[in-house]
Amino acid sequence: MQIGSTVRLEELETLLTQTLIEKISVRKVALIVFNSDNKTSIQPSNAFESGFDLSQAQLKAALKDRKPYYFCEGHTRNRSLKTVRQFLYEHGYDLMFCLQGGVGICGTLIFGQRLDEKAYTKRDLEFLSTLASQAGLALENCLHYDSLVKSKQQIESMFEKIAQKEKLAALGEMSTILAHELKNPLGIIRSSAQYLQAHEDDTKNREQLLEY
């Protein structure tokens, strides 16, 4: 799987939650992403059928030790970790991996039972730890890429609005000039009409004004 070279979040989510599950013998895999707005996004969307009640703050507090992985069953003094582990275990997940980039934790990758219902072996954990390490760096890159794309879209939208304002300003200026240019001849016509009305007997000036 080309995890390390992936820069689009949708592609990475597909690799980790669909392609991965076909390559390893587990019942299910879910990816929880920590977004920059302090919210979480979950793939697949039906990973938690009864709803996802954990906040990003709770998850980060649970992963604060930054261990490579945590089993979802067992005892711990970390209350946040206990809450998270219990929640995941109740939804059929056995193992949680911390996804860490170059700056900090950016998500978690969780695994259900093995298909043979046996416990995860040391070899399994080593393989999945390596995979999670690559996934963490890739996820951080994807989040940066998404942020750049959104910034680009915002800049383009801003320039479009500025261009539209400039067009409207130019149109307003043109309208003012046109109104001024029309006002002068209309004023002359009005004055001439008033003169003709007031001097109906002035044949000479009447002919000159009509020719004008």
Side-chain angles (χ1 to χ4, degrees), residues 1-211:
M1 295 187 298
Q2 301 297 322
I3 293 177
S5 60
T6 306
V7 294
R8 295 185 181 277
L9 185 57
E10 296 80 4
E11 293 178 7
L12 182 63
E13 289 171 343
T14 300
L15 281 172
L16 294 177
T17 61
Q18 295 181 28
T19 307
L20 179 60
I21 202 171
E22 296 170 0
K23 293 185 176 293
I24 60 175
S25 300
V26 296
R27 294 187 181 279
K28 56 184 178 179
V29 180
L31 173 66
I32 302 174
V33 179
F34 299 162
N35 297 313
S36 57
D37 56 1
N38 291 323
K39 294 182 180 179
T40 56
S41 59
I42 303 167
Q43 289 296 329
S45 57
N46 62 349
F48 300 93
E49 295 179 358
S50 61
F52 189 73
D53 300 328
L54 301 175
S55 67
Q56 184 177 136
Q58 282 179 297
L59 289 164
K60 284 187 174 180
L63 300 170
K64 66 180 181 179
D65 295 335
R66 299 192 179 186
K67 293 181 180 179
Y69 58 85
Y70 301 82
F71 285 100
C72 295
E73 190 177 17
H75 299 286
T76 177
R77 294 181 179 179
N78 183 332
R79 291 184 179 180
S80 296
L81 181 58
K82 181 180 179 179
T83 300
V84 170
R85 284 166 53 170
Q86 182 178 351
F87 178 83
L88 295 178
Y89 186 74
E90 289 174 353
H91 286 79
Y93 293 97
D94 285 2
L95 195 57
M96 173 175 62
F97 284 83
C98 176
L99 299 184
Q100 186 169 339
V103 177
I105 299 172
C106 49
T108 178
L109 190 62
I110 51 179
F111 295 86
Q113 284 185 323
R114 286 176 35 149
L115 289 177
D116 58 11
E117 297 186 357
K118 293 182 179 180
Y120 282 94
T121 66
K122 182 179 179 181
R123 184 176 179 181
D124 291 336
L125 297 174
E126 288 175 350
F127 168 74
L128 294 175
S129 293
T130 301
L131 178 73
S133 178
Q134 295 176 0
L137 294 172
L139 178 57
E140 186 178 63
N141 289 336
C142 289
L143 293 173
H144 286 324
Y145 179 81
D146 273 8
S147 178
L148 289 173
V149 170
K150 289 178 182 177
S151 296
K152 179 176 177 290
Q153 292 172 343
Q154 290 174 350
I155 291 172
E156 288 176 346
S157 176
M158 181 182 68
F159 273 109
E160 286 178 4
K161 290 179 180 178
I162 291 173
Q164 184 66 19
K165 287 181 179 179
E166 288 178 348
K167 287 179 182 178
L168 291 174
L171 184 61
E173 186 178 352
M174 186 187 304
S175 300
T176 302
I177 294 172
L178 185 60
H180 178 73
E181 293 297 325
L182 289 174
K183 184 177 180 181
N184 289 337
L186 286 174
I188 294 172
I189 293 171
R190 181 182 178 184
S191 299
S192 299
Q194 290 174 344
Y195 180 85
L196 290 173
Q197 187 177 10
H199 301 82
E200 295 181 357
D201 298 333
D202 191 348
T203 307
K204 183 177 180 180
N205 287 331
R206 184 185 183 89
E207 291 177 354
Q208 290 179 349
L209 288 172
L210 290 173
E211 288 177 1

